[in-house]
């Protein structure tokens, strides 16, 4: 039995594999793919917040290719504004995903440094690690390319091929899925949806035992 477990950007190769080679079961954490031509965001606010931080990350990568220090400054300032000063409106995630050790840690003043891995779930973003945002947003200028990618990772196609278990953090300012997708999962036999209260984007770090139990039970069912 082959079960794929993916999170965040891992969703792209995960759905690509499930739609092409296939798998027995697919477990997805916190992010589901949407087709830009067919799927409208549940909220214009969500769409704007997501585009705002994604553009900031993309430009940080591009500037770092010209002058590394400039990219780092852009990323630091953008982090302060989006995840610090204006976090109430611009932060796509929420307090569960924040850095607990002081103002500079919370707002990501030095986002290329080592983070609080226990709470954040991984290393802080560096300018180089922003490359997926840059290459993804480049495709905005090429609608055909975007549509080709969307078709290869199509949510509905994957839903027809194997059961999907979707686990997401409910305590966020925005969500990285559509309500219509949750409805389809709920109506499809063998699929599961789990919105975990008190957790954020790194839900498996905030509630590790709960997530482990869900994944184990889903795979073994």
């Amino acid at each position: 039995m082959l079960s794929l477990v993916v999170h965040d950007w891992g969703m792209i190769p995960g759905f690509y594999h499930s739609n092409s080679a296939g798998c027995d079961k697919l477990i997805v954490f916190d992010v589901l793919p949407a087709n830009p031509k067919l799927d409208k965001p549940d909220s214009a606010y969500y769409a704007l917040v997501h585009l705002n931080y994604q553009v900031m990350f993309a430009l940080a990568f591009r500037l770092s290719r010209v002058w590394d220090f400039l990219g780092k400054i852009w990323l630091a300032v953008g982090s302060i504004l989006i995840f610090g000063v204006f976090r109430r409106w611009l932060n796509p995630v929420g307090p569960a995903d924040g850095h607990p050790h002081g103002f500079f840690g919370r707002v990501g003043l030095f986002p290329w440094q080592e983070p609080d891995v226990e709470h954040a779930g991984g290393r802080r973003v560096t300018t180089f690690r922003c490359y997926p945002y840059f290459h993804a947003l480049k495709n905005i200028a090429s609608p055909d390319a975007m549509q080709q990618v969307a078709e290869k990772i199509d949510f509905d196609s994957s839903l027809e091929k194997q059961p999907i278990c979707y686990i997401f953090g409910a305590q966020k300012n925005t969500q990285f899925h559509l309500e219509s997708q949750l409805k389809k999962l709920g109506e499809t036999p063998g699929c599961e949806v789990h919105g975990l209260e008190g957790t954020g984007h790194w839900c498996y770090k905030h509630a590790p035992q709960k997530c482990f139990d869900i994944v184990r039970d889903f795979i073994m069912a």
Side-chain angles (χ1 to χ4, degrees), residues 3-14:
S3 297
L4 297 181
V5 182
V6 298
H7 173 245
D8 207 304
W9 282 104
M11 166 271 297
I12 293 179

Side-chain angles (χ1 to χ4, degrees), residues 9 16 18 28 64 73 105 109 119 127-128 167 178 182 186 194 211:
W9 282 104
Y16 178 83
S18 69
V28 187
S64 73
I73 291 297
L109 181 59
H119 291 78
T127 53
F128 178 75
I167 307 167
L178 302 174
L182 300 189
H194 301 272
C211 289

Side-chain angles (χ1 to χ4, degrees), residues 68-85:
D68 185 55
F69 181 72
L70 181 60
K72 289 179 177 179
I73 291 297
W74 179 275
L75 182 58
V77 173
S79 296
I80 290 172
L81 295 177
I82 294 174
F83 306 115
V85 178

Side-chain angles (χ1 to χ4, degrees), residues 176-188:
F176 301 100
H177 58 254
L178 302 174
E179 287 298 320
S180 60
Q181 292 174 318
L182 300 189
K183 182 179 179 182
K184 290 176 182 177
L185 286 166
E187 295 174 346
T188 303

Side-chain angles (χ1 to χ4, degrees), residues 26-46:
L26 179 62
I27 299 98
V28 187
F29 281 96
D30 212 61
V31 182
L32 291 175
N35 188 318
K37 282 191 174 182
L38 302 178
D39 299 320
K40 293 184 179 179
D42 293 329
S43 163
Y45 166 72
Y46 283 13

Side-chain angles (χ1 to χ4, degrees), residues 9-190:
W9 282 104
M11 166 271 297
I12 293 179
F15 274 86
Y16 178 83
H17 184 87
S18 69
N19 283 341
S20 55
C23 62
D24 295 292
K25 295 185 178 181
L26 179 62
I27 299 98
V28 187
F29 281 96
D30 212 61
V31 182
L32 291 175
N35 188 318
K37 282 191 174 182
L38 302 178
D39 299 320
K40 293 184 179 179
D42 293 329
S43 163
Y45 166 72
Y46 283 13
L48 290 173
V49 168
H50 292 171
L51 183 62
N52 181 60
Y53 86 86
Q54 290 167 1
V55 168
M56 188 272 286
F57 284 158
L59 285 176
F61 172 80
R62 185 66 187 91
L63 291 172
S64 73
R65 300 301 92 187
V66 178
W67 183 22
D68 185 55
F69 181 72
L70 181 60
K72 289 179 177 179
I73 291 297
W74 179 275
L75 182 58
V77 173
S79 296
I80 290 172
L81 295 177
I82 294 174
F83 306 115
V85 178
F86 301 111
R87 64 183 179 274
R88 173 64 182 82
W89 304 277
L90 299 181
N91 186 2
V93 291
D97 296 290
H99 194 297
H101 301 308
F103 173 79
F104 294 127
R106 286 199 305 272
V107 304
L109 181 59
F110 304 110
W112 51 87
Q113 292 185 349
E114 196 72 15
D116 169 42
V117 293
E118 180 179 353
H119 291 78
R123 294 174 180 269
R124 276 200 185 279
V125 174
T126 65
T127 53
F128 178 75
R129 293 177 69 201
C130 291
Y131 76 89
Y133 298 95
F134 173 75
H135 291 290
L137 291 180
K138 265 202 324 183
N139 286 334
I140 290 180
S142 177
D144 290 340
M146 287 188 66
Q147 187 59 30
Q148 288 177 14
V149 173
E151 290 172 356
K152 290 179 179 178
I153 63 172
D154 182 61
F155 171 79
D156 292 334
S157 297
S158 186
L159 196 59
E160 296 175 355
K161 294 183 178 180
Q162 61 271 306
I164 297 175
C165 176
Y166 181 54
I167 307 167
F168 66 95
Q171 189 180 351
K172 297 197 300 292
N173 295 331
T174 68
Q175 292 295 346
F176 301 100
H177 58 254
L178 302 174
E179 287 298 320
S180 60
Q181 292 174 318
L182 300 189
K183 182 179 179 182
K184 290 176 182 177
L185 286 166
E187 295 174 346
T188 303

